[in-house]
Amino acid sequence: MDESVYKVTVARDLEDLIPVFIKNRHKELDILRVALAAADFEQLRQLGHRMKGVGNSYGFDHVSTLGKYIEDGARSGDRAALDARIREYAEYLAKVQIAYE
Amino acid sequence: MTRSVGPSVRVLIIDDDPDLRSLLARYIKQRWADAAVDEFDPLSQAFPERSFPLGSYQAVILDYMLGRGDGLEWLQKLKARPDCPKILFLTGAGNEIIAVRAMKAGADDYQRKQELTREKLLASLRELMAPVTDTTSPELAARKEGHSLGARIRIPGIKVLRLIGEGGMARVYLASREGDDEPLVVKILRREVLSNRTALERFMEEYSLVEHIQSRHVVRIYGHGNVDEHAYLVMEFFEGGDLNRRLEGKALAPAEALRIFRELMFALGEIHEKGILHRDLKPQNLMFREDGTLAILDFGIAKQIDATTDRTNAGEILGTPRYMSPEQVQGRVLDLRTDIYSAGVLLYQMLTGGHLFGGDSAMEVALHHLNTPPPSLPGELEPYQRLLDKLLEKDRDARFRNADEVIGFLTRKFGVGSTDVTQKL
C-alpha cells in the first residue's frame, strides 16, 4: 500500500479528541473481527457504514475508504473480502502516523 | 445528558457515533463559546417522549442512519411536533435520494456526512438559526432570498427542495421529480440577469445545444422554461460532485488524472463532432456520476461551430481566465483546439495540484497564457511533459488538432484504454 496512506494531518484544536477516536477505532476492529467470525453481516454493514461516516470527518480518509469496502462486502456476504479489509484496517491502525497542525 | 444554563445557542445532536457527536459539538462550541450542545445516542436512548424539551433547541442535527433506527422516520416524528426546531439532516454521500426524502419530510437543510467540514456545518447552522429578519450579512441575505425563491417557484412535475449553489448567472437547487423522487438539479436564472437579453439567450441556448447531444459524457437536461418570470433548466444531478471537489487543491495520482483526462477527451470528441465548442472548461464544469463516469455541463457560453450568429461580441472574451486558450484571450475566432488547450490546463492541475499560471488579477493570468511558457513538470511527472507540451502549445497549429489525436497519443504512449470501461458510444 502507498505509505502516504498512513500519514494523517489533523487540526491542532482537535488533538485532544484523537486518543478517544483512535481507541474507539481499535474497539471497532475487535468488534469487526467478532462479527466476521459470527458471520454477522448486518453488524459488519453497520460498522462499515459508521467508519465511512466518521473517518473523513476527522481527516482519516482511509478509515472511510475501508468502511465503504466493509459495508459493500457485508452487503454481498463476501467473507474473504471482509477478512482482507479487516486485516488491512488492523495494519492501518498499527502504522498510522498523526501530525497536528 | 448534561446541559449548561443560559446559553446563546442550543443544539441537539442525534447520532449513533460518539466520535462524530464529539466532533460536531466541538465545532459548535468553538464557534459559539457558550453554546449548549446536547448529545443524544439513539443506541442507548429510545425516541424522545412528548415530555422531551425539543422546543428548547434552536437546531437539531440528525443522522440518517441511527444504528437501530431510521433517521427519516425520526425526522418525520420530530417534525410532527409543533415545537420542533430547525433540523439539519446528515446523509451519506452518493445517496442523494435520502436527501430528497429528508427535504420532503421537512428537514430544513442537509449535508453529506462524509464531506461535512467545520465550515459547512457552521454555515448551515448559522443559516438555520438566524432570525428570518437577519440581513446583517449580505451573503446570508442572498442565501435567504435564494431559499425564498426556491420555496415559491412552481415547476410542473418538479419539486424544488433546497438551494445548493449560487453562481453569477443562476442559482442552483436540489430538486426531485414528483412520483419517483429522482434527484435532479434546477438552475434558475437570476432576476437581474433577465434584463440582459444576451445573457438570457445564452442561458436558454444551453438547453437547445445540449438537447441535441445524446451522450453519457454530457449532462442530461430534462426540461426548461419560464415560470413566474423566472427562466429555469432542469438537469441531471451528479452524485460524485465536480472535479473541483475531487481535487481539493491537491494532485491526483497520475493514473487517475490520466483516466479522467481520457474521459474528458471522449466527451470533447463527442461534442466537437456535433459541432459544439464548450469554451469554458474548468473543474466546476466536469461532473462525476456515482459510477465515476464524467460528464460536461454548463454550456452557457458554448457555441455551435457553424452558427451564423455568435452572441460573443467582437473582441469580447468569455471563459475563465485560468483555463483560457491564448486565442481566447486575444478574442479571436475559436475552433475546437481552444477546448484542447483548456483540457491541457486541467490536466496540469490534476497532475500537480496547482494552477498552470498564477497572478494577482484575471488579466495577469490571461496574459500568461499568451506570453509565458508553461512550467516544467516535476521530475516524477516527466513522462507526461510531452503530452502537456503538445496540449498547451500557444500556436494552435502546433497543438493536437482534435480529441481523437489526443486519445491516439494516450493509447500509444501510456497504453490506457485497452481495459478501461470508457468506450466511445
Side-chain angles (χ1 to χ4, degrees):
Chain A
M1 194 169 19
D2 180 1
E3 291 297 307
S4 65
V5 162
Y6 299 114
K7 292 179 181 157
V8 174
T9 305
V10 176
R12 175 76 60 193
D13 60 0
L14 301 180
E15 187 172 354
D16 61 310
L17 297 181
I18 297 304
V20 174
F21 174 81
I22 293 293
K23 193 174 153 195
N24 284 341
R25 302 286 73 77
H26 282 283
K27 275 190 204 165
E28 191 168 66
L29 179 63
D30 291 340
I31 301 170
L32 282 166
R33 284 171 169 150
V34 171
L36 181 64
D40 186 344
F41 294 111
E42 176 53 23
Q43 182 160 31
L44 286 160
R45 188 192 63 73
Q46 282 184 21
L47 289 165
H49 180 82
R50 183 190 283 195
M51 287 166 63
K52 192 174 79 173
V54 79
N56 288 122
S57 308
Y58 277 82
F60 291 71
D61 294 353
H62 198 57
V63 171
S64 288
T65 304
L66 289 173
K68 179 172 184 343
Y69 288 137
I70 290 169
E71 188 180 16
D72 292 346
R75 279 209 180 95
S76 58
D78 186 343
R79 290 184 77 153
L82 285 164
D83 184 52
R85 294 302 179 187
I86 292 169
R87 285 173 193 274
E88 192 180 337
Y89 193 23
E91 187 183 355
Y92 174 78
L93 291 178
K95 288 186 175 176
V96 69
Q97 299 164 32
I98 305 163
Y100 298 98
E101 61 179 33
Chain B
M1 199 162 64
T2 55
R3 182 179 302 155
S4 54
V5 179
S8 62
V9 166
R10 301 179 77 92
V11 178
L12 177 67
I13 302 172
I14 305 177
D15 194 300
D16 62 331
D17 189 327
D19 292 308
L20 194 68
R21 294 197 306 265
S22 299
L23 186 69
L24 301 184
R26 168 65 57 88
Y27 288 158
I28 294 167
K29 286 176 178 171
Q30 281 175 336
R31 170 62 182 82
W32 293 282
D34 67 340
V37 184
D38 292 341
E39 298 180 24
F40 191 104
D41 180 2
L43 291 178
S44 61
Q45 294 168 274
F47 184 82
E49 293 178 0
R50 299 279 333 156
S51 57
F52 184 86
L54 191 61
S56 69
Y57 298 98
Q58 284 153 290
V60 174
I61 301 171
L62 174 64
D63 190 12
Y64 88 106
M65 292 279 273
L66 298 175
R68 288 179 195 155
D70 177 345
L72 280 173
E73 279 177 25
W74 280 48
L75 172 66
Q76 285 166 337
K77 286 188 198 168
L78 291 172
K79 276 291 173 185
R81 285 181 55 160
D83 62 343
C84 183
K86 299 285 178 70
I87 293 187
L88 167 59
F89 198 76
L90 302 183
T91 70
N95 199 357
E96 224 63 25
I97 200 158
I98 298 293
V100 165
R101 288 180 180 155
M103 296 306 292
K104 288 177 92 166
D108 297 279
D109 194 7
Y110 79 95
Q111 293 284 342
R112 294 168 158 215
K113 195 160 62 170
Q114 281 170 268
E115 295 154 13
L116 187 61
T117 61
R118 184 188 314 240
E119 292 73 26
K120 282 184 184 172
L121 172 75
L122 296 178
S124 179
L125 286 177
R126 202 164 47 236
E127 200 170 306
L128 290 183
M129 298 190 297
V132 179
T133 52
D134 182 358
T135 53
T136 48
S137 151
E139 188 192 338
L140 192 61
R143 295 273 303 168
K144 281 185 181 296
E145 189 189 328
H147 287 309
S148 166
L149 171 62
R152 286 196 317 269
I153 202 153
R154 297 282 174 267
I155 299 174
I158 304 291
K159 184 160 178 61
V160 177
L161 295 167
R162 182 74 182 162
L163 180 69
I164 54 174
E166 296 199 72
M169 287 269 288
R171 291 191 169 96
V172 182
Y173 294 85
L174 173 70
S176 70
R177 189 164 51 206
E178 283 173 3
D180 63 1
D181 285 347
E182 172 74 13
L184 299 169
V185 161
V186 169
K187 276 173 81 173
I188 300 177
L189 193 66
R190 288 180 175 281
R191 187 180 284 272
E192 51 270 34
V193 180
L194 278 173
S195 55
N196 180 336
R197 192 174 163 182
T198 307
L200 179 61
E201 285 172 351
R202 274 193 191 122
F203 182 81
M204 298 316 291
E205 200 168 80
E206 180 166 1
Y207 175 78
S208 57
L209 278 176
V210 175
E211 74 171 339
H212 293 113
I213 310 173
Q214 292 297 317
S215 162
R216 68 192 180 94
H217 289 121
V218 172
V219 59
R220 295 179 197 118
I221 294 196
Y222 297 112
H224 76 300
N226 285 282
V227 63
D228 302 333
E229 297 180 355
H230 290 284
Y232 69 86
L233 289 177
V234 182
M235 58 175 66
E236 179 181 6
F237 181 88
F238 289 92
E239 304 274 8
D242 65 19
L243 179 60
N244 208 32
R245 194 168 84 192
R246 197 163 285 209
L247 285 168
E248 288 183 326
K250 291 182 271 192
L252 300 178
E256 177 66 355
L258 223 54
R259 184 193 71 78
I260 293 172
F261 178 71
R262 186 169 176 274
E263 283 244 358
L264 175 58
M265 284 302 116
F266 277 117
L268 286 183
E270 288 185 19
I271 68 166
H272 290 165
E273 205 169 83
K274 307 278 186 200
I276 294 168
L277 303 181
H278 190 280
R279 304 197 297 183
D280 194 21
L281 293 175
K282 56 185 174 184
Q284 294 89 333
N285 289 343
L286 302 187
M287 308 300 294
F288 296 94
R289 298 194 178 89
E290 196 178 2
D291 63 2
T293 56
L294 176 147
I296 303 178
L297 55 64
D298 207 345
F299 285 71
I301 67 165
K303 175 180 179 290
Q304 281 189 289
I305 295 166
D306 58 355
T308 51
T309 57
D310 182 359
R311 299 192 202 294
T312 314
N313 297 319
E316 184 184 2
I317 298 170
L318 291 176
T320 307
R322 282 198 192 284
Y323 306 94
M324 272 182 183
S325 66
E327 59 270 25
Q328 209 169 0
V329 174
Q330 291 171 312
R332 293 169 65 185
V333 174
L334 302 178
D335 59 34
L336 50 85
R337 291 170 293 182
T338 191
D339 287 341
I340 299 289
Y341 181 93
S342 301
V345 182
L346 285 165
L347 178 61
Y348 180 91
Q349 188 174 353
M350 287 191 281
L351 287 170
T352 67
H355 293 296
L356 178 65
F357 296 124
D360 292 334
S361 65
M363 181 58 75
E364 192 180 337
V365 174
L367 289 174
H368 279 310
H369 287 296
L370 269 184
N371 305 315
T372 308
S376 296
L377 290 170
E380 68 276 15
L381 297 175
E382 195 278 331
Y384 308 101
Q385 188 67 59
R386 205 170 142 223
L387 167 64
L388 266 178
D389 288 346
K390 204 155 163 56
L391 291 164
L392 297 173
E393 282 283 1
K394 299 207 185 291
D395 175 3
R396 57 184 159 182
D397 288 335
R399 212 176 289 156
F400 287 109
R401 285 176 298 175
N402 52 50
D404 281 348
E405 268 196 13
V406 182
I407 292 165
F409 184 94
L410 291 174
T411 306
R412 283 194 306 278
K413 300 295 175 192
F414 304 104
V416 290
S418 54
T419 58
D420 193 305
V421 292
T422 304
Q423 296 294 331
K424 192 171 179 178
L425 293 172

